Amino acid sequence: MPSNPVDIYVNELISSHGISVEAARSRASALYALDLDMPVWRQYISYLGNLIQGNMGQSIRSPGVRVSTIIRARLPWTLFTVGSGLIISTILGIVLGTISAFKRDKWYEPIITGSASIISAIPDFLIGIFLIIFFGIITWFGMDRPLLPIQSMRGTHTMGLSIDDGFTYIRDIFAHGMFPIITYVLAQIGMWVLLMKGSTTSTLKKEYVKLAEARGLSNTKIMSKYVARNAFLPIATEFAMRMGFILGGSLIIEQLFVYEGLGLELLNAVHGRDYPVMQGILLIITACIVFSNLFAELIYGALDPRTRRGE
Amino acid sequence: MVSTQYLFKKFKVGLKAMLSDKIGVLGISILLIIILLSAISPYIFPLQSRADPTQIFQPPSGENWLGTDHMGRDIWPQIANGGRGLLLLAFITASISVMIGIFLGTAAPLIGGKFDEILLFFADVWLTIPRFPLLVVLSGFFNLTSYVLALVLAILSWAGLFRSIRAEVLSLKEREYVEAAKMLDLSMIHVIFKEITPNMMPFIIMNFTLMMRHAIYAQVGLFFLGLLPLEVNWGVMLNIAWAQGAIYHPDALWFILAPAIAISLLILSLVWINRSLENLFNPVLRTDHDD
């Protein structure tokens, strides 16, 4: 392994403390709970064995701290920001997309669609940078300071506050999570608008909608039973798929806003060569994707009777 | 068999239709400007390597069109030269991944049977790999030079391309000319590259621009995180501007805004080209737009 942290630790013990090689190795193996004399593949098997029991090992950078503890501390913040961003952007996107599908002759339709297509193309971290510049850096005309005190909004919450502070705490975590959430919303909303608009427009053209109109069904019934249900299919699948990438998509944004979530932890682990932490976080991210794919299949089966088998 | 002359004619027709699409023209123009700048700027706007402490974070002026950076160097030449590496790498990545996609995506349905099933299964598993986090971890382990990165990016993204090309081939496979070629006992290579590929060229070009977009995102992201060796490009400029705290420095606005806008324009141009190609080649969508 390149720049193996255990080797570094062993070398350090030998050179700076004058300890013999064997003593240094036994110290390192006690510290990291590794048996250095085992071949690598046996170490890997024992890692897998521990993994099945939910033990992801210990961090190398901060010895003694279990990887699962680190993940448990970071995961809620990422889930909170990326999850809120996903939900808000989906709801707004569905609303705006439906409006632009039904009001295709109105003046504001090209504006909605146009801005949606531009904003959906810009990488999320650039949106974050633009937000920081717009709200936190530029002193707008007639003001004596930027719109928001961006430096004090870093991190996940103000030091010293905890869940016991009740409402103050909730307001605090929203104030700190605001920028990441807005970034996630803006980065995804364009895609939702375009998807919803496209799927509604194409559903409106379907023959069964025309037939329903010909049968003289009420407009509300056509909209809810015929259009909405079918137009919603691609949205539901996409939502479930996006849920999978909820954890992996947060790396750069968390670095940008110094938000101590899972993504930032992964970056720190990479910089510090903390292999167990890296492995643990990648594992969680992948598991999240696999479960959402399964969830997507289930949703699709529930929403679209045509895909059900053997009935 | 499709002759080059025929392809050229088809290309001309396509170009004409594309020029009538404003968004497409805008996209192509931006991309051409960036390509042109990348080609000529080493001669016309050479990079300034000397630091000048008296000129730090100057606002835009007649002399420094976009102001100066944290070492007092002119920003404009850095912008003009900074797209080349990104574009080249995105192009290589897209070429490799499209090649893999075409080869596997056509071979799998044509050979069929177990081969197809196994590849499809692998693609499904592959798609669950979190690409960007994995790239971050890999660049922590290895020193990813640009060409290695292009290869890694291409390999990481083969599955999506494979699946969409496979679906396209499945529908093309039933056409008479493919049947005819098979009956004439022409080789698999012939069927893939002379019969099927030319007929899904539009689809491939669309995927190509899409791939370039993903490659640019991944590259710039890695550069921004400072995980790749430094060179002059927009991603590195972002990283340096970020590391220097330029983003919290109102005077340094242009230093971070310039590369951010440049990257946005590059990706927008690719997206717009992709969208106008989609309108062009997909008549269903075109009628959607007309009414």
Side-chain angles (χ1 to χ4, degrees), chain B:
Chain B
M1 226 179 102
V2 185
S3 69
T4 30
Q5 208 181 355
Y6 169 75
L7 270 183
F8 185 68
K9 213 168 131 194
K10 223 175 159 185
F11 178 72
K12 247 169 60 181
V13 173
L15 200 67
K16 216 179 244 173
M18 207 163 171
L19 287 179
S20 62
D21 183 356
K22 278 179 228 144
I23 288 291
V25 173
L26 191 60
I28 290 184
S29 320
I30 296 174
L31 190 63
L32 282 181
I33 291 173
I34 294 175
I35 293 175
L36 189 72
L37 264 181
S38 306
I40 62 166
S41 50
Y43 312 105
I44 301 188
F45 309 111
L47 281 171
Q48 187 186 339
S49 50
R50 281 255 304 278
D52 183 355
T54 61
Q55 294 291 313
I56 289 172
F57 291 149
Q58 291 294 312
S61 64
E63 199 181 330
N64 305 312
W65 294 352
L66 293 174
T68 57
D69 68 2
H70 65 293
M71 287 163 78
R73 294 170 305 188
D74 194 359
I75 291 176
W76 166 249
Q78 299 181 39
I79 289 289
N81 285 287
R84 196 182 313 120
L86 294 180
L87 261 181
L88 199 69
L89 201 137
F91 188 82
I92 297 173
T93 308
S95 308
I96 300 175
S97 61
V98 165
M99 283 304 266
I100 301 176
I102 293 176
F103 198 78
L104 293 178
T106 41
L110 290 180
I111 296 173
K114 276 274 171 289
F115 182 70
D116 190 29
E117 268 172 42
I118 291 173
L119 266 184
L120 201 58
F121 173 75
F122 268 116
D124 281 342
V125 173
W126 200 267
L127 279 175
T128 63
I129 297 176
R131 251 184 291 170
F132 194 72
L134 184 64
L135 269 175
V136 167
V137 171
L138 282 181
S139 53
F141 284 145
F142 307 105
N143 187 8
L144 295 178
T145 56
S146 6
Y147 295 107
V148 179
L149 178 66
L151 194 68
V152 171
L153 274 174
I155 292 174
L156 274 181
S157 39
W158 73 274
L161 265 169
F162 163 75
R163 278 175 51 127
S164 56
I165 289 178
R166 180 181 168 275
E168 188 78 3
V169 171
L170 275 179
S171 76
L172 286 175
K173 200 177 100 172
E174 308 299 322
R175 307 280 166 91
E176 285 100 355
Y177 53 81
V178 178
E179 293 283 312
K182 271 188 181 164
M183 269 175 225
L184 287 170
D185 210 18
L186 294 168
S187 70
M188 180 73 80
I189 300 290
H190 176 94
V191 174
I192 293 179
F193 288 104
K194 296 278 168 153
E195 308 291 342
I196 290 184
T197 315
N199 283 294
M200 46 177 203
M201 226 40 205
F203 185 75
I204 289 171
I205 299 172
M206 263 157 52
N207 274 300
F208 193 89
T209 53
L210 206 70
M211 222 24 256
M212 277 184 76
R213 178 190 167 189
H214 288 315
I216 290 172
Y217 176 92
Q219 261 188 93
V220 172
L222 290 177
F223 275 121
F224 176 71
L225 293 174
L227 291 166
L228 293 179
L230 296 185
E231 42 184 286
V232 174
N233 72 42
W234 299 332
V236 174
M237 287 176 73
L238 270 185
N239 170 260
I240 294 174
W242 176 257
Q244 293 295 325
I247 195 161
Y248 295 116
H249 200 307
D251 293 335
L253 202 61
W254 281 100
F255 186 27
I256 198 154
L257 214 47
I261 292 175
I263 296 163
S264 306
L265 281 179
L266 175 57
I267 293 188
L268 268 179
S269 75
L270 289 172
V271 169
W272 282 337
I273 291 172
N274 184 286
R275 185 145 309 152
S276 83
L277 284 172
E278 220 175 289
N279 288 339
L280 203 69
F281 294 121
N282 199 338
V284 183
L285 281 176
R286 226 181 308 168
T287 50
D288 256 16
H289 271 258
D290 287 341
D291 58 23

Side-chain angles (χ1 to χ4, degrees), chain A residues 195-209:
Chain A
L195 189 65
M196 189 65 196
K197 189 199 169 202
S199 103
T200 311
T201 325
S202 63
T203 313
L204 281 173
K205 284 206 188 93
K206 288 277 162 61
E207 278 166 359
Y208 52 77
V209 176

Side-chain angles (χ1 to χ4, degrees), chain A residues 25 34-44 46-47:
Chain A
R25 278 172 69 89
L34 293 172
D35 187 352
L36 296 177
D37 297 323
M38 272 204 287
V40 173
W41 66 269
R42 294 231 4 224
Q43 291 186 33
Y44 183 63
S46 85
Y47 172 78

Side-chain angles (χ1 to χ4, degrees), chain A residues 3-306:
Chain A
S3 41
N4 185 330
V6 180
D7 283 347
I8 293 174
Y9 181 76
V10 169
N11 283 338
E12 203 180 271
L13 280 183
I14 296 169
S15 59
S16 60
H17 300 285
I19 299 175
S20 70
V21 179
E22 287 75 30
R25 278 172 69 89
S26 77
R27 264 204 198 188
S29 82
L31 181 59
Y32 297 120
L34 293 172
D35 187 352
L36 296 177
D37 297 323
M38 272 204 287
V40 173
W41 66 269
R42 294 231 4 224
Q43 291 186 33
Y44 183 63
I45 299 235
S46 85
Y47 172 78
L48 287 182
N50 286 330
L51 195 63
I52 292 172
Q53 298 159 32
N55 179 4
M56 293 195 260
Q58 295 181 359
S59 162
I60 289 180
R61 260 178 320 157
S62 27
V65 181
R66 296 162 72 93
V67 173
S68 48
T69 315
I70 295 178
I71 290 179
R72 213 172 299 145
R74 305 295 196 176
L75 189 63
W77 297 111
T78 300
L79 279 181
F80 164 60
T81 44
V82 189
S84 322
L86 180 63
I87 293 170
I88 297 172
S89 69
T90 314
I91 295 173
L92 284 178
I94 288 175
V95 172
L96 288 174
T98 317
I99 291 177
S100 61
F102 282 108
K103 312 270 176 175
R104 271 179 295 165
D105 45 352
K106 291 276 167 40
W107 58 271
Y108 50 77
E109 189 273 326
I111 298 181
I112 297 182
T113 321
S115 10
S117 87
I118 290 182
I119 207 168
S120 66
I122 298 178
D124 48 5
F125 53 93
L126 291 184
I127 292 180
I129 289 178
F130 288 136
L131 278 179
I132 292 181
I133 291 175
F134 190 88
F135 288 105
I137 310 301
I138 298 181
T139 314
W140 294 99
F141 182 71
M143 297 178 80
D144 52 349
R145 59 199 156 85
L147 286 167
L148 292 166
I150 196 134
Q151 251 112 339
S152 66
M153 289 167 74
R154 290 167 156 200
T156 52
H157 57 283
T158 310
M159 288 291 257
L161 278 181
S162 74
I163 193 87
D164 304 325
D165 290 305
F167 186 67
T168 331
Y169 179 72
I170 293 173
R171 212 178 48 194
D172 189 62
I173 62 171
F174 271 102
H176 281 267
M178 191 179 86
F179 268 113
I181 293 176
I182 295 178
T183 309
Y184 296 130
V185 170
L186 288 178
Q188 299 179 70
I189 191 168
M191 187 273 305
W192 292 118
V193 171
L194 296 179
L195 189 65
M196 189 65 196
K197 189 199 169 202
S199 103
T200 311
T201 325
S202 63
T203 313
L204 281 173
K205 284 206 188 93
K206 288 277 162 61
E207 278 166 359
Y208 52 77
V209 176
K210 291 200 176 114
L211 181 68
E213 280 168 3
R215 282 165 63 200
L217 296 181
S218 76
N219 222 9
T220 356
K221 186 157 190 191
I222 296 176
M223 284 308 138
S224 59
K225 296 265 158 125
Y226 290 77
V227 179
R229 183 163 177 181
N230 286 294
F232 202 67
L233 273 178
I235 298 277
T237 327
E238 183 71 27
F239 186 84
M241 300 293 279
R242 293 255 156 178
M243 269 176 48
F245 291 89
I246 221 172
L247 299 181
S250 54
L251 256 85
I252 312 182
I253 305 293
E254 283 179 4
Q255 159 95 335
L256 201 58
F257 295 107
V258 203
Y259 197 83
E260 290 105 348
L262 210 60
L264 193 59
E265 188 62 38
L266 178 60
L267 278 176
N268 291 338
V270 169
H271 286 302
R273 303 268 181 267
D274 198 339
Y275 296 98
V277 175
M278 269 190 254
Q279 272 172 330
I281 294 178
L282 269 188
L283 192 74
I284 291 284
I285 294 176
T286 315
C288 182
I289 295 174
V290 171
F291 280 115
S292 337
N293 283 0
L294 180 70
F295 185 58
E297 303 266 322
L298 292 177
I299 283 193
Y300 213 82
L303 286 179
D304 190 351
R306 286 170 297 182

